[in-house]
Amino acid sequence: MGPASGSAVLLFHGWPYDIHSFVEVAPVLAAQGYRVIIPHLRGYGSMTFRSDATPRNAQQAALAADGIALMDALKIEKAIVAGFDWGARTADIMAVLWPQRCKALVSVSGYLIGSQAGNVAPLPPKQELQWWYQFYFATERGKAGYAANTHAFNRLIWELASPQWAFDDATYARSAASFANPDHVAIVIHNYRWRLGLAQGERQYDAVEATLATAPPVTIPAITMEGDANGAPHPDPSRYRAKFTGPYEHRTISGGIGHNLPQEAPLAFAKAIIDVGRGAG
């Protein structure tokens, strides 16, 4: 959306959401002259693998590499990158590995880059409880259960992650259509199993993952955001402040805003992109 000659913005959604998380953000940015590009992540919507032999790999490095490959395919040299959940992690990685390609960053829940080694350490019980679905997905029962009940499962996640968001059936159904992708279950299961070291990634990403395991800082201009009613696991902003070494601001959005911040507070999310873009020059 927006003029082809405009400054590019790439918006990345998370799980279990889709491109409609930005349905009200995109027109605001387009009206400001931005070229807005909102891709489905692997395993969502109209995305397809070109070969049955391609691993259904959802490790963090692969998703970020997809972002750069998309920019290359569209001949976009530099873009603002922004997202939430899986999309925030994707944008974070693009910012630290390819800062020359990223003009600025907007990241909901801040610095989400992790590693398999870092995920080995147990968390306090209340935090572990929030990750219940990750442990469910680690089992074959969980994989079968997610495949059999994708629609209901993901609606439950929406309700838990955004407890004050009064979305209607039509809003959920619009995004839920993207979960019918034939590779959706495989991608989701691989993502969470990879994080726990229960699934292998691809060797072509080993060097990238080694770099990410050192938790490199974000040096480009950045704004991090958090909703005041985020029911999903998320770090306190104080824990990641030191990871942003360039121009930086954190914004907490009030009003019962949950995990799907771009869809619940689209004007605030769009304003962050416009502001960080202006700050980046």
Side-chain angles (χ1 to χ4, degrees), residues 114-159:
S115 68
Q116 288 181 318
N119 287 333
V120 168
L123 299 171
K126 286 186 177 181
Q127 292 183 41
E128 295 281 28
L129 178 62
Q130 287 190 302
W131 285 110
W132 65 272
Y133 53 87
Q134 180 172 246
F135 301 114
Y136 181 63
F137 290 160
T139 68
E140 288 305 297
R141 176 189 174 100
K143 181 179 180 180
Y146 187 62
N149 303 293
T150 308
H151 190 278
F153 193 102
N154 288 345
R155 181 163 186 137
L156 174 62
I157 296 296
W158 277 39
E159 293 168 353

Side-chain angles (χ1 to χ4, degrees), residues 79-279:
I80 297 172
V81 292
F84 72 104
D85 195 81
W86 290 20
R89 184 176 297 107
T90 297
D92 290 347
I93 294 171
M94 291 173 68
V96 301
L97 293 182
W98 298 280
Q100 73 280 9
R101 304 293 301 275
C102 301
K103 180 179 180 182
L105 167 71
V106 174
S107 179
V108 177
S109 298
Y111 190 93
L112 297 180
I113 300 171
S115 68
Q116 288 181 318
N119 287 333
V120 168
L123 299 171
K126 286 186 177 181
Q127 292 183 41
E128 295 281 28
L129 178 62
Q130 287 190 302
W131 285 110
W132 65 272
Y133 53 87
Q134 180 172 246
F135 301 114
Y136 181 63
F137 290 160
T139 68
E140 288 305 297
R141 176 189 174 100
K143 181 179 180 180
Y146 187 62
N149 303 293
T150 308
H151 190 278
F153 193 102
N154 288 345
R155 181 163 186 137
L156 174 62
I157 296 296
W158 277 39
E159 293 168 353
L160 295 175
S162 300
Q164 297 185 42
W165 182 29
F167 62 88
D168 58 22
D169 291 345
T171 297
Y172 177 69
R174 182 177 57 184
S175 288
S178 291
F179 312 147
N181 184 294
D183 295 302
H184 178 76
V185 173
I187 287 294
V188 171
I189 297 301
H190 184 269
N191 180 282
Y192 288 103
R193 290 186 179 182
W194 180 88
R195 295 192 205 185
L196 293 176
L198 302 176
Q200 293 185 342
E202 292 178 85
R203 294 191 64 180
Q204 62 179 306
Y205 299 115
D206 285 354
V208 170
E209 294 293 356
T211 298
L212 295 176
T214 68
V218 174
T219 60
I220 64 174
I223 292 177
T224 59
M225 308 183 75
E226 192 60 80
D228 64 343
N230 186 357
H234 62 280
D236 185 271
S238 63
R239 289 178 52 195
Y240 53 72
R241 172 62 186 91
K243 292 299 180 185
F244 295 86
T245 59
Y248 174 76
E249 179 185 350
H250 177 77
R251 299 178 180 179
T252 298
I253 309 303
S254 60
I257 305 303
H259 191 59
N260 186 3
L261 191 151
Q263 196 164 358
E264 298 176 60
L267 294 181
F269 190 78
K271 186 176 188 301
I273 291 171
I274 293 167
D275 290 347
V276 80
R278 288 172 177 166

